[in-house]
Amino acid sequence: MRLSLLAGLAISAGMSLSACSEKAADSLENAGSAIGNDVSRAVDGAGEKIDNGLDDAGRAFDEGANEVGAASRNAAQDARREAREAKQDAGAAMERAGNDLRRD
């Protein structure tokens, strides 16, 4: 009878340990899922920050390119105006020189 009782206790203890190890496995699985979710959220957040940074850099590049284009257009207009004025000045100087030659 003692042997039966000891066998019964051993089986009960084994089943308790089995249930305990299932709970431990479930806890471990839940902890792993929580860690995975945290890592996933962190990676998503980092990805969003990188995307936003690239968008900001792209906008800055576009604005800089627009400013360079506007400055180039302004410089070209200034150069054309200066060239026109230089031609007029040269023409006026030649006309004065011709008038001076006629008078001599």
Side-chain angles (χ1 to χ4, degrees):
M1 171 97 96
R2 278 184 146 179
L3 195 54
S4 301
L5 184 60
L6 285 175
L9 286 174
I11 291 173
S12 293
M15 290 174 66
S16 295
L17 287 175
S18 174
C20 184
S21 66
E22 273 185 47
K23 287 181 184 177
D26 288 345
S27 293
L28 184 60
E29 184 178 336
N30 290 338
S33 291
I35 291 169
N37 290 337
D38 289 346
V39 169
S40 179
R41 278 192 295 275
V43 168
D44 288 346
E48 287 178 26
K49 288 181 181 181
I50 290 169
D51 285 345
N52 291 339
L54 290 173
D55 288 344
D56 291 345
R59 276 192 294 278
F61 183 78
D62 287 344
E63 289 171 7
N66 289 338
E67 289 177 15
V68 167
S72 296
R73 283 189 295 280
N74 290 341
Q77 289 173 349
D78 289 346
R80 283 192 293 273
R81 185 180 62 249
E82 292 292 329
R84 232 182 354 264
E85 289 174 5
K87 284 181 190 177
Q88 290 171 350
D89 290 345
M94 290 172 74
E95 189 174 336
R96 282 192 302 274
N99 290 335
D100 287 344
L101 288 174
R102 276 193 219 148
R103 281 188 228 139
D104 287 340

